[in-house]
Amino acid sequence: MGAIKREPTPSGPITDLFVRLDDLHSKAGRPSMREIAIRAGRGNISSSSVHNIFRSSRVPRWEFLEHVVNALDGARERREFLTLWEKAWREENAVSEPASPQGQGGNQAPVRSSQPIAGVPRGRGELRTEARRQPIQRIWSSEIPPRNPNFTGRAAELERMQDNLRNQPPPRVQVISGVGGIGKTELAAEYIHRNIDKYEIIWWIRAEHHDRVRDALVGLGQRLKLLSATTDSERDRTITAVLETLQSGAPRSWLLVYDNVDSPLELQEYLPATRPEGHIIVTSRQPNWPSYIAADSTEVSPFTVEEAVNFLRRRVPGLAVGERLAMKEDARRASEARRLAAELGHLPIAVEHAAAYLVETGKGVDEYLTRFAENAHQRLGEQPADSDLPALVSRTWAMSITLLTSDTEHLSNLCSFFSPEPISAELFLQNTEGIDEPPGLGEFLASPHRFRTAASQLHRLSLAKVDGARDLIQMHREVRAVTQGRLQLNHGDMFRAYRAAVDSLLARSNPGNPGRSNSDKAYNLSLQHLESDNRFLHTHDPALRELIIDQVRRLHLRGGHVEAMQFGQDALRVWRGRLGNDDLQVLTLSVEVAIAMYMGDRAADAHELILRIRPLLQCYTDGDGFKAFLLCENIYGADLRARSQFQEALELDKRILEKFEEAFGEHHERTLNVRSNIAIDYRQLGDFKKALVEDQRTFDDRYRILGPNDLFTLKSHNAVARDLRGLGLYQESLDIARKVVDAFAAPGARENPHWLHACEGFATALRKAGHHWDALWESEHVVQRCRDYLGADHMYTLRAATNLINDRRAVTDLAGAEELARETRDHCLDSSAPDDLLYAVLVNLASVLRMVGQPEEARSFDDQARRGLIRIHGDEHPFALAANINYASDLAACGETGHAIQVGHETLEKCMRSLRELHPDTLMAAANLAIDEAAGDRRAGEVRLGGVLRGYEQTLGMEHPEARAAASGSRLTAEIEPFDG
């Protein structure tokens, strides 16, 4: 393999680093980029990243450079390279010292969270913070519980946690286990407040349900200002980016707390690998932590006698310690506290309930214990046989509820039917007209003053926590369970009434417009409860089921495809059994789940589900059922496109457009989506003129309705630019593509897949307009960002890589182009990539092989591609024509000039019919044919070439690289820009 031409570098440390690296590469025999990536180990670094390290002038990240050095048998020179890298990094970022090395022996080099990916040049779509070191900005989660002023004891546990997290070797994961109500969460919170100044990041994660974990990590990504952390991007990649950032050492000290973990197996994938200053705390009821997660474990026991006595004496005035107390009185109070604690088994939650009762009533311990014993006798046998609740919690709860006002009793019972997650006060204070059962509930909910008073009493009695800053109420799981259990056991009618009331409160919070991002706050009030407690899936309330459908739709619209699929499928399993397969709400939810599957790269599952529900929806001709049918048809059209049935998809979309206009309105977003799909159908069929008409109209409507910078408006404008390229109007396309990218890069914007797609289109427009080096810079950036945040085999990544092959070839980086082309071909073969994308890769690979003198292999790939493209699209489709233009070049290079002229004539005639006389691809076909004809008839070749050059004068201009190449007698290479689907 020959040396790769590197971008110019300034003299000094940066050049010194790259000269030494090139020397090591030469001594290793100049292995290919692909071979280096293979030697580095699967998943460590891609061949594209290796190529960037050897081509770019940017200093790569150390962990990437280290992999390359080791792959080149340079492990012995590691320290030398680290020294060179540190000097180069300081030079590039204008700092006197790099971040302090982390890891054993101080050998782990620093990594900046804002540093570009290895060797990738700055792109227009890239947002960066200053690389210079900034003062530490602490990131603390708003979910961290406030410090408990009555926290008592636990000195041994805190000391053990401190030692495990600070002094033991990694991984530094601390598990706090114990039964419910033992104080696990309080212990974790106290550790935080005692060590809050020792961490740059402290993030509290409610971990009982995996979706809460995902939400919390996405939220952390947004606080870290990661480019992928946006609500409409791929949440999986955002979460991966967060974990990788924590592992990188960019934030030097961090603490994640996963509170109330129910499933260690589900949690495992959301745990970052810890570093010396990266710590994890897990609280869980599971006494035996599984061995597949390495961790130190601390089991929390009930209070010791001393701890329980100290808590009661700090909390209860009648038991308090006082400097002026007589020794005898002090001993009596200590004895009373000891006796009460013993009766309560030293269980923290029971002790806290008793303390709150004594403070509220002013009664003494004797009276409390007398009533406690009487209450236990009266309620003997009331505890459900299958309950795992400590009996003491049930008994202290029974004492406390005797103090509740009727309003507080209403609120307590309502809280018990929400999930254990925090409950927003907004859910209680919304319009509750018509929620009248049980008697008196309606009047209570209608008065904000009565609600606030009741919440305060619940808080005072330690039956619930009230977060005034965020206006939340949270009932402890044990209290929630015993409240609900006693209602079900003793007051069945009230149990059902409160449960129905909570269902209604959640249902009424539905804004009814899941497509609008300004409704996210309202939807978030209910989502955590709906996902965390499966009992809501069994609701009898159709309005609550409607909210569940809207939540699934909102999730997949915001990029939460995994969450939408899981939540929707959980609901479908319940609803099908309760309501039947042909129930309208079951069918409507099925449509939304199918969309989530399709958007989440599970097209086969979406296809199966659509075929299952489509016949059941075809009977609806109006109302909500008809709307659900139309949405089903819309996703069925996408399914047809995924299966390369483009004409059938066009006929379907044109047929349902009028029906969408009648059902939703001409300018409704769903109607505009159908029109956009029609443009995609035309584009897939190669009819760019009709596609442009539809895209331009959709863009105009969205611009007027949604505004110039709305995501859907920008997507439509980007589609207009793509249509213009298909028509050969390269400069016009570039002018629009530039505007789209600039709009995406507006201040405060975050990188997302649609932005990357726009950047990809901009790079292609640059290349088509003749700006090859600018195109390469943009394209390299896009491919690397796609790899980082979507994965190497994601459709966006493969499509961007297919275009990058052409960018590298255009600047004669043939080694890099061939490496990338073969790698992309392999990814297409190993994934579910559509056939036409694979054929596009083969055409672009063949173009490189022809240039490096391998025409036979190029001919084989072009022949395979052209046959496949003709099978899918027909022989006059632009893709098939491009493949045939290049196939003729292969034949000529192989010495089969006669055959090349025959194919050239046939292809030119089809270009004239399908494209237009002055389309760049038509001119290209004619220019190449002129070269072949000149071999046998020089005059005929010159005449044809003269016509070609006049065509270039009227279109691209004679300064365009294609025109200059044609004028010099060089063969031109056709390209395939993959469709966006």
Side-chain angles (χ1 to χ4, degrees), residues 493-504:
D493 291 342
M494 291 178 64
F495 173 89
R496 288 183 288 273
Y498 281 115
R499 182 177 62 187
V502 169
D503 287 1
S504 294

Side-chain angles (χ1 to χ4, degrees), residues 280-392:
I280 294 171
I281 295 176
V282 175
T283 73
S284 177
R285 299 187 185 199
Q286 292 207 13
N288 299 312
W289 195 251
S291 59
Y292 52 76
I293 298 179
D296 294 301
S297 185
T298 295
E299 184 171 359
V300 183
S301 303
F303 278 149
T304 65
V305 173
E306 181 182 4
E307 287 172 339
V309 169
N310 287 343
F311 178 86
L312 287 168
R313 299 199 69 183
R314 290 176 62 184
R315 184 86 164 81
V316 182
L319 300 176
V321 176
E323 292 181 2
R324 299 182 179 180
L325 284 180
M327 186 178 300
K328 184 176 180 180
E329 174 61 15
D330 186 71
R332 184 192 69 79
R333 292 185 179 190
S335 176
E336 292 281 87
R338 191 174 295 107
R339 186 159 60 95
L340 176 58
E343 286 291 333
L344 300 177
H346 306 104
L347 184 66
I349 190 173
V351 173
E352 185 177 5
H353 285 167
Y357 181 97
L358 295 176
V359 172
E360 181 80 359
T361 63
K363 297 183 182 302
V365 171
D366 279 338
E367 186 173 351
Y368 182 89
L369 289 177
T370 298
R371 296 193 61 183
F372 186 74
E374 293 172 353
N375 183 275
H377 179 73
Q378 293 169 1
R379 297 185 180 273
L380 188 64
E382 287 189 4
Q383 185 85 351
D386 59 349
S387 173
D388 60 355
L389 291 171
L392 288 169

